[in-house]
Amino acid sequence: MAKAELMDFDKALEMFEPVLGFEVHVELNTKTKMFSDAPNPAAADGGTGEPNTMITPVDLGLPGSLPVVNEQAVKYSISLGLALGCEIAPSSRFARKNYFYPDLAKNYQISQYDEPIAFDGSVEVELPDGTLFEVPIERAHMEEDAGKLTHVGGATGRIQGAEYSLVDYNRAGVPLVEIVTKTIFGAEHNAPELAKAYVAAIRDIVIGLGISEARMERGNLRCDANVSLRPRTAPGEEPAPLGTRTETKNVNSLRSVERAIRYEIQRQAAILAKGGTIIQETRHWHEDTGVTSAGRPKSDADDYRYFPEPDLLPVEPSRELIEELRAALPEAPAVRRRRLKEAWGFTALEFQDVVNSGLLSEVEATTAAGASAHAARKWWTGEIARIANDRGVDAGTLVSPAHVSELVAMVEDGELTDRLARQVLEGVIAGEGSPQEVTKARGLAVVSDDGALVAAIDEALQSQPDVLQKIRDGKVQAAGAVIGAVMKAMKGQADAARVRELVLERAQQQ
Amino acid sequence: MTDLTRLTAAALSEKLASGEVSSVEATRAHLDRIAAVDGDVHAFLHVSDAALETAASVDSRRAAGEALGPLAGVPVAIKDVLCTVDMPTTAGSRILEGWVPPYDATVVRRLREADLVPLGKTNMDEFAMGSSTEHSAYGPTRNPWNLDRIPGGSGGGSAAAVAAFEAPLALGSDTGGSIRQPGAVTGTVGVKPTYGGVSRYGAIALASSLDQVGPVTRTVLDAALLHDVIGGHDPRDSTSLTDAWPSFAEAARAGAASRSLEGVRVGVVKELDREGFQPGVHSLFLKALDTMSAAGAEIVEVSAPSFDYAIAAYYLILPAEASSNLAKFDSVRFGMRAKLPNGGTVEEVMAATREAGFGDEVKRRIILGTYALSAGYYDAYYGSAQKVRTLIQRDFDAAFAKADVLVSPAAPTTAFPLGEKLGDPLAMYLNDVTTIPANLAGVPGMSVPMGLAEEDGLPAGLQIMAPAHEDARLYTVGGALEALLEEQWGHSLISQAPNLAFGEEFAAQEGAV
């Protein structure tokens, strides 16, 4: 994908004010789908069935089939709405969004249109510099996911140039909540970081509620990012009208959200500065090349012929249910951050490091699994983040908090040295199993068998009689040469402190 | 031996229960009758090859002393709009030719659970769009009273099957009169239940907010017996009501036994008995009112001014919902697929399939509905139509404050000749003027035979409507009226229908000569 002309980011910010908007789709992890009793592939144990096995006549849109609303999905949506600080509508309605596309079994999507279940909320997010930013929420509404198309025969795997396409309806009907922000002003040079922090905040909220697996790489959480630029005007002057926006899709990691926003700001600024115009369109984010490319033109006049879904009754949750769900809400992320910072005893810098890396949940889960907060932080923001960065993925996708906690414990118990632990981590990331399993399979454990060590030490002492003599003469620092030789013989799988102890002991006995 | 096909379902089920007749015998008699007359009537699109087997299994279970339901072993015909796992389901459309659904409609499942014997699938206007069954992709059904006339629509196949003694019972679906108008023009009984009273799951949708499945029979009691089997809550249909319904059969029996309408306030809807209705139909209606009055009914005139806009509203709401409901017929997952010389893109194949697979009336309504829902027109068309719908519901509320039931002719004319209205969609639409308001308001309606019109000797029906949830009232009043009229006539109306078994007729004539 050809890289468009880009303007330097700081220069772009001098000339233009970035205006943002986000649509985040959250796949709910209910047992069954939004409108049918088919198993939900986005459920905790949903897994991936063979194509077109997790379906019923409803998901295929077979003639005569009818949708029935999943009550659990409604409850989850209400909880999410409440966590976003939204009002919950006493009565909301589903509508049909009509358009022809082969991944849409009925050729209409059942979605909430003018009567969403939740509206008017806000989410507090924390920027890398520690400032707090209120992102205003327009609405959160329920809808069903579409199926998945695989284009076969083309070079790009995209529909253009494909010979034929395969459709898998397993995902069709997966319950979604779409969270739509109001127009976001004032992010300024923090716009890319705000985008990332916002999506991370939504992720933390849905994980806290337990209503979604929230794995971005699996599409459990998807962000469409709207960006437009407007020229700056002198103080006191009328602000310029809003610029034309683009909507970037396929942004499948926290890191990509940040990069995609930065890219669009730079791309649009370059065009506008040359007197060009921005085309209102969807743009496709390319993770590998870090660019966006034009998708289909999108106009506000797209006619989806919405009308109220006659097969479903309005959703009318009782006041009692809403209050019950409100009472059961977990603490808000901002409150949680304050609590964790205190509990972990991190410095402001250390804590900010965790937040900015988007690893709060991972560190929390790792400490919950038994590791100390400092060790958890060290591994996540250190080695794991480094590997994630090398591979261009989110750290949370590489390894589970339970495994990190297990690794930490092994180091603390002296089973592994830091160096060995890094090798074990590599194996865990490669999918070779748990740290215990990898350690065993790769034979990486610290040799704590004194017999083996003593044998190696005796051999080293005997082969270096001059050193042995020095040690006996009280020149303890000379032991270093023997320790080095032993560690080498042990292929590093020995605790150096213990080796030193034994060397001194054996030297007196030789 | 009695001709088993002439028995009502109630009478047949008594003989089945007593062991006088087996289900195999009854089923074979109807299959023979279908073989003899359906070449002319064309009520069936598909005749089941499992019917005798099903009948035999019911017989053996009865012989083993198993307790069976009241209609066990009685044959039944099923409108082709209802999904059946063992028979193709086409909704009268080329686009679904040969499609066998992987599931039964809830009403079909209930028929099977009650041990009725499905005989086959009946003809209909394509996707239930029409009032004459001429819009079937598989050729028209003919009216057993006069083979040159239409049997009504869209459920002309079910009505004709029952009127021609090919089946004692049938299922229909009624979106704007598709059960009641065919009932009226074939001298049979048809009931559109309260919206939500019968599950729509597995009924191929025309207009979801209007569609309702119901019984098509020769007597009020038979309709009630069948309604008792198919009705009740279905968790697979969100619009299905959770009412605990009374026995409609008991209501029908009570009405027939009393032969009285003492104290019943019968409202005559001024707007549903207009100038322009066929004079013979109008005079039968007046006679029926006299009969009811003589039986103690209090006849009151009620006005429902919004009914004047019912057809206009209906022909916006129906096409709008239909345009969306029919979008799924795109060749991707089931049904017909057009072959293009170059293979074609998915859009091209979808378009070519819909072009070749849908008939003109279906295309006409999809275009109408797509237009009515378009941005900028929604408020003026769909939005306004929904407001009219609310006004019609209010008119019903006001009318039911003055009357226990409302009555009107069930159709403005008797059966018209085949082809007469095919070129004039508006004239065809107007044939449903009396039945549409009940669908818009979700109230139940029944068509009961009220006699033969003097100008053409063809049957006409009287429509009875009750408030929502009060379907039992239809059966009580309908049962009483049916009994009173048959007492006057000295026979049932359907007994006067021509015998279509031409072979026997000619033989008799030869013998007479």
Side-chain angles (χ1 to χ4, degrees), chain B residues 224-382:
Chain B
L225 286 164
L226 187 52
H227 194 163
D228 282 339
V229 169
I230 61 172
H233 181 66
D234 177 11
R236 290 195 179 276
D237 175 1
S238 306
T239 61
S240 153
L241 298 169
T242 51
D243 295 39
W245 299 94
S247 161
F248 299 126
E250 267 175 39
R253 285 197 179 99
S258 76
R259 281 179 166 67
S260 161
L261 292 168
E262 203 58 52
V264 178
R265 296 172 303 160
V266 173
V268 177
V269 187
K270 209 167 64 178
E271 288 78 7
L272 295 184
D273 181 31
R274 303 161 168 272
E275 283 175 36
F277 280 22
Q278 191 176 320
V281 171
H282 180 68
S283 65
L284 284 173
F285 179 61
L286 294 183
K287 269 197 217 167
L289 289 180
D290 287 345
T291 303
M292 288 191 271
S293 174
E298 181 195 340
I299 310 290
V300 293
E301 185 175 276
V302 298
S303 177
S306 305
F307 285 16
D308 285 346
Y309 307 101
I311 287 202
Y314 176 82
Y315 276 100
L316 289 167
I317 293 167
L318 177 141
E321 293 185 11
S323 70
S324 175
N325 282 332
L326 268 58
K328 62 179 58 164
F329 299 96
D330 63 0
S331 83
V332 174
R333 295 160 306 281
F334 53 82
M336 178 183 148
R337 178 175 298 174
K339 291 228 172 357
L340 296 181
N342 59 348
T345 65
V346 69
E347 284 86 358
E348 286 162 356
V349 174
M350 283 178 175
T353 301
R354 290 166 68 81
E355 163 64 29
F358 287 146
D360 286 348
E361 182 61 24
V362 171
K363 288 175 190 160
R364 182 179 294 128
R365 296 201 198 184
I366 289 175
I367 292 167
L368 260 173
T370 304
Y371 185 77
L373 288 176
S374 299
Y377 298 101
Y378 179 91
D379 290 340
Y381 295 128
Y382 191 78

Side-chain angles (χ1 to χ4, degrees), chain B residues 442-505:
Chain B
V443 305
M446 169 189 278
S447 175
V448 192
M450 63 177 181
L452 303 177
E454 53 192 2
E455 57 271 73
D456 53 21
L458 290 169
L462 176 122
Q463 175 176 230
I464 308 169
M465 292 176 284
H469 309 274
E470 298 296 336
D471 304 47
R473 214 178 278 177
L474 298 180
Y475 291 105
T476 314
V477 173
L481 178 62
E482 178 185 60
L484 289 163
L485 289 173
E486 290 186 357
E487 203 169 57
Q488 278 176 25
W489 301 330
H491 52 73
S492 70
L493 193 71
I494 197 68
S495 65
Q496 305 305 296
N499 187 342
L500 297 166
F502 297 120
E504 288 167 34
E505 218 169 71

Side-chain angles (χ1 to χ4, degrees), chain A residues 164-432:
Chain A
Y164 60 93
S165 303
L166 299 169
V167 204
D168 176 6
Y169 291 103
N170 282 355
R171 198 180 66 182
V174 167
L176 288 179
V177 177
E178 179 175 345
I179 304 164
V180 183
T181 65
K182 294 179 182 166
T183 307
I184 303 167
F185 299 98
E188 297 297 351
H189 66 280
N190 281 325
E193 290 83 2
L194 173 69
K196 179 181 175 182
Y198 169 69
V199 179
I202 298 292
R203 196 192 59 160
D204 289 346
I205 289 171
V206 299
I207 289 173
L209 291 168
I211 62 174
S212 172
E213 296 309 291
R215 304 279 293 264
M216 290 190 80
E217 76 282 7
R218 286 193 194 163
N220 296 147
L221 196 74
R222 308 195 285 266
C223 175
D224 299 339
N226 290 278
V227 181
S228 69
L229 298 181
R230 67 168 166 187
R232 297 198 182 274
T233 47
E237 248 181 273
E238 277 282 295
L242 290 180
T244 304
R245 71 191 155 86
T246 61
E247 180 183 346
T248 303
K249 291 185 174 284
N250 195 37
V251 196
N252 295 331
S253 68
L254 291 174
R255 197 169 159 268
S256 303
V257 175
E258 181 176 347
R259 291 169 73 206
I261 293 280
R262 186 179 301 275
Y263 181 89
E264 267 305 287
I265 289 173
Q266 292 180 268
R267 187 188 69 88
Q268 291 186 16
I271 293 171
L272 292 171
K274 279 191 165 172
T277 51
I278 303 301
I279 302 162
Q280 184 169 346
E281 63 188 356
T282 60
R283 296 190 65 86
H284 207 76
W285 170 251
H286 300 269
E287 181 68 47
D288 45 354
T289 48
V291 306
T292 65
S293 67
R296 75 194 161 83
K298 185 167 185 169
S299 84
D300 289 329
D302 272 349
D303 192 348
Y304 292 116
R305 290 173 283 118
Y306 282 102
F307 73 102
E309 166 57 280
D311 286 330
L312 295 172
L313 303 176
V315 177
E316 294 176 340
S318 68
R319 190 79 350 237
E320 294 74 43
L321 174 68
I322 295 172
E323 290 318 312
E324 194 182 302
L325 293 169
R326 193 194 303 277
L329 284 182
E331 65 185 331
V335 177
R336 170 171 164 248
R337 279 196 300 273
R338 283 190 280 278
R339 175 178 59 78
L340 290 178
K341 188 175 169 192
E342 195 158 312
W344 293 345
F346 290 177
T347 64
L349 205 65
E350 284 169 341
F351 192 77
Q352 210 49 53
D353 193 21
V354 176
V355 172
N356 294 347
S357 315
L359 291 166
L360 205 58
S361 296
E362 282 78 4
V363 173
E364 187 185 22
T366 306
T367 56
S372 75
H374 281 280
R377 181 186 63 80
K378 189 190 83 175
W379 280 98
W380 279 109
T381 62
E383 186 65 8
I384 303 171
R386 187 187 61 75
I387 296 169
N389 198 44
D390 284 351
R391 302 192 185 176
V393 298
D394 285 335
T397 64
L398 291 176
V399 55
S400 74
H403 283 167
V404 176
S405 170
E406 190 179 321
L407 194 70
V408 167
M410 290 171 77
V411 173
E412 280 169 5
D413 293 349
E415 288 174 57
L416 293 175
T417 60
D418 264 13
R419 198 173 68 83
L420 285 174
R422 281 197 290 275
Q423 290 177 45
V424 171
L425 177 66
E426 240 178 63
V428 173
I429 289 173
E432 292 167 24

